[in-house]
Amino acid sequence: MRPAPDRSAPTAPTATAQACPEGGVRLVEGEGDAAMGLRVADFQLVNCGTQPYLLEGYPQLSLRDDRNDPLEVSVEHGSAGITTGTPNLDAAPQRVTLAPGQAAVFGIVWRNLVTDGTVVATTARVLEVEPRPGAPRLSLRLASPVDLGNTGKLGLGPWLPLSR
């Protein structure tokens, strides 16, 4: 038999208990994977508002370093010649409508390569996303940074409905 929880101790708020950001959606870091310099990561956009939220095509994406300075990165739709065999990244864009509580996902791919010894390698610690044109930008400090090396190139997948 498990002991009763201590109701006097404060607990960290869960994602659903946190206030919903301006715009009615929250950005969440998903799973990532890395092998031999190839990196992939996915991110969820959760509708924490009270109205349906429409997405179409691709999010607008930018990266920032440790000092929160913007990084110069070429963001291409799809796997962008970085790799093959990433169907979610190379999927055709579609319209996704999120009811309150539903989520959509997008993925990114990059290679951690140093191709020029005279160019400093970059690492992004912050991801900024504009989910749709004119929407408030969402900023997310990454648990797993985007270590681009010095390629300056990132592949971006379209919004896809999250299937559970």
Side-chain angles (χ1 to χ4, degrees), residues 102-118:
Q102 289 184 325
V105 66
F106 71 89
I108 59 174
V109 64
W110 70 97
R111 287 201 180 271
N112 178 359
L113 292 177
V114 174
T115 57
D116 182 347
T118 64

Side-chain angles (χ1 to χ4, degrees), residues 21-25 53 129-139:
E22 176 188 0
V25 290
Y53 196 88
V129 173
E130 183 178 308
R132 60 185 185 193
R137 292 186 71 79
L138 301 168
S139 183

Side-chain angles (χ1 to χ4, degrees), residues 29-86:
E29 187 172 359
E31 296 295 316
D33 199 5
M36 296 176 17
L38 180 65
R39 312 284 200 252
V40 294
D42 65 88
F43 299 88
Q44 294 178 17
L45 186 77
V46 180
N47 182 351
C48 54
T50 59
Q51 301 295 315
Y53 196 88
L54 177 65
L55 298 166
E56 194 164 7
Y58 298 84
Q60 290 293 324
L61 187 77
S62 60
L63 299 173
R64 294 182 171 269
D65 67 13
D66 282 335
R67 296 183 313 259
N68 208 33
D69 292 333
L71 294 173
E72 194 169 317
V73 178
S74 172
V75 179
E76 305 286 334
H77 292 170
S79 58
I82 295 169
T83 190
T84 60
T86 53

